Amino acid sequence: MSLRSSAANGGVNQKPTKTPQPSQEKQAKLLAEDTGHFSMIRALHLADLITELNGLLPLTILEAARLYMSYNPLGFCGFMSILSSMRYCLGPPDSYGNIWAALGFMPFGLFFDFMDGKVARWRGKSSLMGQELDSLADLISFGVAPASCAFALGLRTPLDTLLLSFFVLCGLTRLARFNVTVSSLPKDSTGKSKYFEGTPIPTSLGIVSGMAWCVWSGMVEGGDQGVIGGLWELGGLGGGVHPIVGIFVGWGCAMVSKSIHIPKP
């Protein structure tokens, strides 16, 4: 979660009914009125465009390394990560090129998530639309994409997928709560919220780094050692469950917690 929504709601202990900034009124007018072709594109601020890039990866070293797979599109990191996870599922389990790509796209999403807030504050422009874009992009890059990687790496039983869905829904709920409560959180002198309520969803990159280690060590489905932690059969109930999925459950609970306060840098 970037800091841009704080920029959109500057000031100390603001009320949710605060009068919109002129830039927000202008954007709302452009979005509401039929002003011709590309009116929505013209309504976007620079910070909004960077949010759209939450994962837009040009042809970099990472993409160049993947040319041998004839897969070199530009696109959103979160969505590209999901597609790469799907491609890994379709290929041989010991061919890790696609899963490395899936894991590699997500940190780029964090870079763009960080930059959109920086640009919003630098230009003194923010938007309510940008706040919503930010949350939607975060859900894809740091919620759905990590869960998709986990599924691709072997957490595929019905109970596994149910618990992965719980993780994604916790991320969705956390982002929605942030958008609703951000204006009421304590602010510092610059108008930024003093802390995150619950762990921010980009912290799921901690899980991503763990999955990268598992791939490197062969502790995945089809790897030398199989999925780390093995499978609990549970008497055939739901095909069993991999205990390692509990990390996703715990992470999801931390995201929606109200008692966990993470200071903002």
Side-chain angles (χ1 to χ4, degrees):
M1 172 66 67
S2 71
L3 306 179
R4 63 186 303 172
S5 49
S6 296
N9 296 278
V12 180
N13 294 328
Q14 299 169 358
K15 301 298 182 182
T17 57
K18 181 186 175 183
T19 302
Q21 299 176 7
S23 61
Q24 295 175 0
E25 292 179 339
K26 179 180 178 182
Q27 185 183 59
K29 183 177 180 180
L30 285 172
L31 291 171
E33 296 179 355
D34 183 9
T35 55
H37 298 299
F38 306 110
S39 59
M40 189 179 77
I41 302 301
R42 289 187 283 109
L44 295 176
H45 296 159
L46 178 60
D48 300 338
L49 295 175
I50 293 178
T51 300
E52 297 271 11
L53 293 175
N54 184 351
L56 182 63
L57 183 62
L59 183 56
T60 58
I61 295 175
L62 178 61
E63 282 291 86
R66 303 183 66 225
L67 282 173
Y68 76 96
M69 291 183 283
S70 300
Y71 186 62
N72 179 31
L74 299 176
F76 296 99
C77 275
F79 185 60
M80 293 299 293
S81 175
I82 295 168
L83 291 182
S84 296
S85 295
M86 292 179 179
R87 285 179 174 269
Y88 172 74
C89 289
L90 294 174
D94 58 348
S95 180
Y96 295 135
N98 281 306
I99 200 63
W100 279 122
L103 294 167
F105 275 116
M106 284 178 275
F108 283 96
L110 181 64
F111 169 75
F112 289 110
D113 187 47
F114 173 78
M115 286 302 298
D116 60 12
K118 284 287 187 181
V119 171
R121 289 191 297 275
W122 165 57
R123 301 193 70 214
K125 287 186 176 181
S126 57
S127 70
L128 297 177
M129 182 176 179
Q131 178 178 321
E132 302 305 323
L133 282 173
D134 193 50
S135 293
L136 292 171
D138 283 356
L139 179 64
I140 296 172
S141 294
F142 310 122
V144 180
S148 299
C149 279
F151 177 88
L153 292 175
L155 305 187
R156 304 178 185 177
T157 71
L159 283 177
D160 287 340
T161 54
L162 179 64
L163 296 175
L164 289 175
S165 299
F166 171 81
F167 165 77
V168 174
L169 292 175
C170 285
L172 175 62
T173 304
R174 189 250 182 272
L175 291 166
R177 183 184 66 186
F178 178 86
N179 287 350
V180 171
T181 63
V182 64
S183 61
S184 61
L185 293 176
K187 306 290 193 301
D188 61 18
S189 58
T190 66
K192 295 193 305 182
S193 299
K194 291 183 178 180
Y195 56 80
F196 292 107
E197 195 173 62
T199 54
I201 193 170
T203 60
S204 64
L205 289 180
I207 299 180
V208 173
S209 63
M211 289 191 288
W213 179 80
C214 288
V215 174
W216 181 264
S217 305
M219 296 181 180
V220 296
E221 187 75 24
D224 296 334
Q225 304 182 52
V227 177
I228 184 172
L231 175 70
W232 290 353
E233 294 292 347
L234 301 179
L237 177 63
V241 64
H242 293 90
I244 193 66
V245 78
I247 294 178
F248 284 88
V249 175
W251 219 284
C253 292
M255 285 192 291
V256 297
S257 170
K258 283 187 66 67
S259 59
I260 297 177
H261 291 171
I262 308 295
K264 285 193 173 184

